[in-house]
Amino acid sequence: MGLQETRIGSLPFVTAELNYLAPTPGKPRTYAFDPPPGEPRSTALPEPHNVLIFDGRLIANNFSLDREGFALVRHPTAVKDFYDDNEVRNVYYPAVEAFLKATLKADRVLIFDHTVRKRVDGAADLRGVGPRQPATRVHVDQTDISGRNRVFEHLPDEAEELVKGRVQVINLWRPIRGPLRDSPLAMADGTTIEPGDLVASDLIYPNRSGETYSVKYNPNHRWFYIPEMTPDEAILLKCYDSATDGRTRFGPHTAFIDPTTPADAAPRESIELRTLVFHKA
């Protein structure tokens, strides 16, 4: 049963502020490190909007990666310490790879990186400077260009053959500790996103440049979150899909401040794995 057959308006919701992209001249760009002298860290300035974010737990079985662009899955893990990079790579990576291959009926899955986040009051979200912080702007991790480029970056010898089939970039996001009440993740229903809402934006690293989508406000956007997620649960987020047959290709998402979060809630801790998912032509 699709969302169009459910009564969305009857679901519980919170009203929260999401940071969309403010109008900006030229292509937005953000430095992932200290910018050159005289340059702002980012020209992608926030434009806050208050939106309804619906509790998706009651209809979680209806969510589909191909329709809404996200899905809730149950995925227990044997990892004891997500801050141990070796354990994550040696224990978590193989388990997630096998899980995604089976769940998405994929021919192949490649995990190309991961990010552990822990919210610290007042901390900036900078690579290599303390823990990464929750991303508090509406965005998609890849674009039509950068999603395809990931194949050539990580599998250069096989890329030409692989891109003849279907390629997706799927993130698997989960809380490390739970139930998670602080800085939960909001996901946009991909069926409510117009192509013109997505604005390609440069992300500049010391040794390369990437491209993500910033997102312009559209009052038709519909948002969901899954309250009080546990470490045995995860969200699949679609960040790129080469298929152009009408299914959702990009899933905007963002952390947000839930006004119902208890004052003594533990700061959000989470991990996301970024993966390339292949289906043969």
Side-chain angles (χ1 to χ4, degrees):
M1 183 170 64
L3 292 187
Q4 67 275 12
E5 300 171 54
T6 66
R7 294 183 59 191
I8 301 298
S10 67
L11 293 175
F13 65 89
V14 297
T15 301
E17 188 176 87
L18 300 187
N19 291 311
Y20 282 90
L21 175 69
T24 181
K27 185 179 183 181
R29 59 116 186 93
T30 298
Y31 286 96
F33 59 100
D34 285 335
E39 291 279 346
R41 181 172 297 281
S42 179
T43 62
L45 300 179
E47 182 179 83
H49 287 269
N50 285 318
V51 303
L52 304 185
I53 307 176
F54 291 99
D55 179 345
R57 188 171 284 283
L58 297 175
I59 58 170
N61 289 339
N62 294 345
F63 294 135
S64 159
L65 270 177
D66 279 345
R67 187 177 54 245
E68 288 77 38
F70 62 90
L72 177 69
V73 294
R74 178 166 172 76
H75 183 240
T77 175
V79 176
K80 303 300 183 186
D81 182 4
F82 281 101
Y83 293 96
D84 182 337
D85 195 66
N86 287 330
E87 185 178 8
V88 169
R89 294 181 182 276
N90 294 329
V91 178
Y92 195 47
Y93 274 33
V96 170
E97 180 181 321
F99 175 76
L100 290 181
K101 190 173 181 180
T103 302
L104 303 179
K105 298 177 172 59
D107 293 300
R108 183 175 179 182
V109 173
L110 173 75
I111 298 170
F112 59 86
D113 71 10
H114 72 275
T115 299
V116 178
R117 300 180 190 270
K118 180 177 182 180
R119 190 181 65 75
V120 177
D121 280 335
D125 183 25
L126 296 176
R127 286 166 173 79
V129 184
R132 292 293 306 276
Q133 299 301 296
T136 56
R137 64 182 184 88
V138 181
H139 69 285
V140 183
D141 292 24
Q142 308 293 333
T143 66
D144 204 8
I145 292 174
S146 66
R148 186 177 188 274
N149 285 349
R150 283 287 184 184
V151 185
F152 289 85
E153 178 181 352
H154 299 293
L155 295 165
D157 295 337
E158 306 169 69
E160 289 291 354
E161 188 63 29
L162 289 169
V163 297
K164 293 177 182 177
R166 182 186 179 196
V167 180
Q168 298 178 85
V169 177
I170 304 293
N171 286 11
L172 186 142
W173 182 98
R174 77 186 319 132
I176 291 173
R177 309 191 195 286
L180 186 142
R181 299 186 176 99
D182 174 68
S183 296
L185 194 68
M187 295 80 66
D189 178 349
T191 67
T192 67
I193 304 296
E194 298 291 339
D197 298 338
L198 304 178
V199 179
S201 306
D202 287 327
L203 186 57
I204 303 170
Y205 300 92
N207 56 346
R208 68 180 183 90
S209 289
E211 192 177 65
T212 64
Y213 280 130
S214 301
V215 183
K216 295 191 295 186
Y217 176 69
N218 182 330
N220 294 323
H221 291 168
R222 184 162 58 195
W223 288 92
F224 292 94
Y225 78 118
I226 307 296
E228 302 208 352
M229 285 184 64
T230 69
D232 284 346
E233 297 179 307
I235 291 173
L236 301 181
L237 290 168
K238 185 184 287 191
C239 296
Y240 167 78
D241 195 333
S242 65
T244 56
D245 55 2
R247 70 188 82 199
T248 288
R249 301 183 63 209
F250 305 99
H253 53 278
T254 180
F256 73 99
I257 297 174
D258 181 350
T260 68
T261 297
D264 61 351
R268 189 242 265 193
E269 296 178 71
S270 61
I271 183 171
E272 64 228 46
L273 262 59
R274 300 178 182 87
T275 77
L276 282 163
V277 177
F278 301 100
H279 289 86
K280 293 178 182 176

